Amino acid sequence: WQISMGLLYAASAVGVAFAGDMLSLFLWWEALAVTSVFQIWGRRSKQAEEAGFRYLLFHVSSGLLLLAGILFRYHGEGEGALSLAPLTDALEAGDLGALLILLAVGIKAAFPGLHVWLKDGYAEATHSGPVWLCAFTTKCAVCMLARLFPGAEILITIGIIMAIFPLFYAVLENDLRRVLCYSKINQIGFMVVAIGIGTELAIDGAIAHAFNHVLYKSLLFMCLGAVIFRTGEIRATHLGGLFKNMPWTTGFTIFGALSISFPLFCGFVSKSIIITEVARQGHTFIWIVLIFASAGVFHQAGIKIPFFTFFAKDSGLRPKEAPLNMLIAMALVSFLCLFMGCNPQWLYSLLPNGAAGYNPYDATHIITQFEILLFTGLSFLLLRSWG
């Protein structure tokens, strides 16, 4: 069930990406909800069953809001409202249909207040379920935001809230998969801000970061999935010392952590586009917020997860290394994370506007990023020493 529905889930995501009109989008949008929930139910536990129904509640509601928005716009504008044309002007003019469509997309994008399905569902999924889930649902939402609402200023405000509020929950969270969920919301916030900025380079940054985010977040979920598979445990307080028995998984986890924002890895070459374009457009306060958010997510997903899983006080667990098939998958994605970071122009050439000759490896970007990483490491040491 999990694998077969996972393949249909991937097909539904492709349907969303290639939808040519609103009605096709609605059909694939609902298919996303129905097929993805089996990644949660596949765990076959009471908690997973309940989490799956809560997940469906949010996503079926998203489909109903999308359909209502389409019908309102069709009633007001006729068949022209069924095209997948940008709705930014209609939204800013107060069009109810456009607002409902934004809310529908916002649920799948995990907007603040509409995000609880993500940490709830992913944490109760099977050991491999979050790898599927993180690749498709929220990325379809980012795709639709870029197509339907480029330059909508409300997205800037929503995006900076998304980038900040999960960090404080992640500091307190003991379930490491939930920590990854909070960091995922943080990273989607960067994409939403970029779409709200709406320039060609900002849209390119949002799309590039969505693509790279699939790689490094999937890699981290794979590594934690391997830990669950071998130990049955995911709480930070019950793990530690696993690097002795799972050295390959430890190495791949560090690879995924570095890929979030370290130079030569994929996250750096896409996130820096967004931060740079925000500064170029004169949004100084937003730039400061994103710098803080960039440090915060590296603190949580880049340092906290590898440390507590593999290097903290020995928990006494002595699991086997991850199975060969899992190691091969982690190795392939690790290679892609490094390849994208070392060959950014290959990725940029595939973007809608070609990233306008952007170069991530100038001295300013590299020095700024190392300052962020060093101070993030310092903050982690201080928080550890203060308890």
Side-chain angles (χ1 to χ4, degrees):
W1 270 109
Q2 184 192 349
I3 295 173
S4 60
M5 296 305 286
L7 295 172
L8 290 172
Y9 175 34
S12 301
V14 174
V16 169
F18 285 92
D21 59 79
M22 285 290 189
L23 290 180
S24 297
L25 173 64
F26 167 72
L27 294 173
W28 290 116
W29 202 254
E30 289 291 73
L32 270 180
V34 174
T35 53
S36 60
V37 73
F38 287 90
Q39 304 305 315
I40 302 170
W41 282 341
R43 195 170 184 178
R44 300 181 185 274
S45 68
K46 180 67 174 175
Q47 294 92 333
E49 180 184 345
E50 293 172 351
F53 279 114
R54 291 192 294 270
Y55 177 95
L56 271 183
L57 174 65
F58 275 91
H59 288 275
V60 172
S61 298
S62 172
L64 292 174
L65 286 170
L66 178 62
L67 180 60
I70 294 169
L71 292 175
F72 271 110
R73 287 191 51 76
Y74 181 80
H75 178 73
E77 299 189 20
E79 292 187 8
L82 297 180
S83 66
L84 271 173
L87 300 175
T88 305
D89 292 339
L91 179 68
E92 293 178 349
D95 182 83
L96 178 59
L99 177 61
L100 291 173
I101 292 171
L102 178 63
L103 284 173
V105 179
I107 290 176
K108 276 188 167 34
F111 280 5
L114 305 174
H115 69 283
V116 293
W117 61 267
L118 195 153
K119 68 179 183 67
D120 183 29
Y122 286 37
E124 297 299 335
T126 65
H127 62 269
S128 60
V131 181
W132 293 87
L133 292 167
C134 83
F136 299 118
T137 297
T138 52
K139 302 312 176 295
C140 285
V142 170
C143 175
M144 284 301 109
L145 285 175
R147 288 185 72 175
L148 297 176
F149 300 102
E153 292 188 0
I154 186 64
L155 293 181
I156 300 176
T157 302
I158 294 172
I160 60 173
I161 295 172
M162 292 178 70
I164 290 298
F165 88 86
L167 299 177
F168 301 99
Y169 287 96
V171 170
L172 303 173
E173 182 58 62
N174 193 32
D175 186 313
L176 293 179
R177 288 211 292 191
R178 288 178 184 256
V179 173
L180 273 188
C181 291
Y182 285 124
S183 74
K184 179 180 174 68
I185 297 170
N186 162 279
Q187 294 297 281
I188 297 169
F190 280 78
M191 305 169 207
V192 173
V193 167
I195 294 168
I197 297 294
T199 62
E200 289 187 351
L201 188 58
I203 297 295
D204 279 353
I207 299 302
H209 201 48
F211 180 85
N212 285 335
H213 185 253
V214 170
L215 296 177
Y216 67 77
K217 196 65 70 178
S218 294
L219 176 57
L220 289 169
F221 273 122
M222 286 180 190
C223 295
L224 291 185
V227 170
I228 295 174
F229 183 74
R230 285 306 197 198
T231 68
E233 186 57 73
I234 197 58
R235 290 170 292 177
T237 52
H238 289 65
L239 294 171
L242 297 186
F243 75 95
K244 303 169 188 174
N245 297 85
M246 303 182 75
W248 284 102
T249 304
T250 303
F252 292 135
T253 304
I254 293 172
F255 233 80
L258 294 176
S259 298
I260 295 172
S261 52
F262 208 84
L264 300 181
F265 290 87
C266 60
F268 173 77
V269 302
S270 53
K271 190 189 297 180
S272 64
I273 298 178
I274 299 171
I275 294 175
T276 299
E277 187 63 6
V278 166
R280 284 180 180 175
Q281 297 305 312
H283 298 285
T284 305
F285 174 74
I286 298 169
W287 178 81
I288 294 171
V289 171
L290 292 184
I291 291 292
F292 176 80
S294 182
V297 73
F298 186 73
H299 177 279
Q300 296 308 320
I303 300 178
K304 178 177 179 176
I305 287 176
F307 177 80
F308 281 106
T309 307
F310 300 103
F311 301 107
K313 183 179 178 181
D314 196 325
S315 60
L317 295 171
R318 295 294 180 264
K320 295 180 181 179
E321 179 58 275
L324 180 61
N325 59 297
M326 290 186 180
L327 293 176
I328 291 172
M330 289 186 275
L332 288 172
V333 181
S334 296
F335 167 76
L336 289 174
C337 288
L338 185 61
F339 177 82
M340 294 298 171
C342 294
N343 299 276
Q345 297 307 323
W346 183 88
L347 174 62
Y348 294 168
S349 67
L350 302 176
L351 297 174
N353 306 295
Y358 177 79
N359 175 28
Y361 289 114
D362 64 22
T364 302
H365 295 150
I366 294 174
I367 293 172
T368 302
Q369 193 62 29
F370 274 115
E371 288 174 344
I372 293 170
L373 296 174
L374 289 172
F375 277 100
T376 303
L378 176 62
S379 70
F380 182 80
L381 291 175
L382 291 175
L383 286 172
R384 284 281 296 163
S385 65
W386 296 337

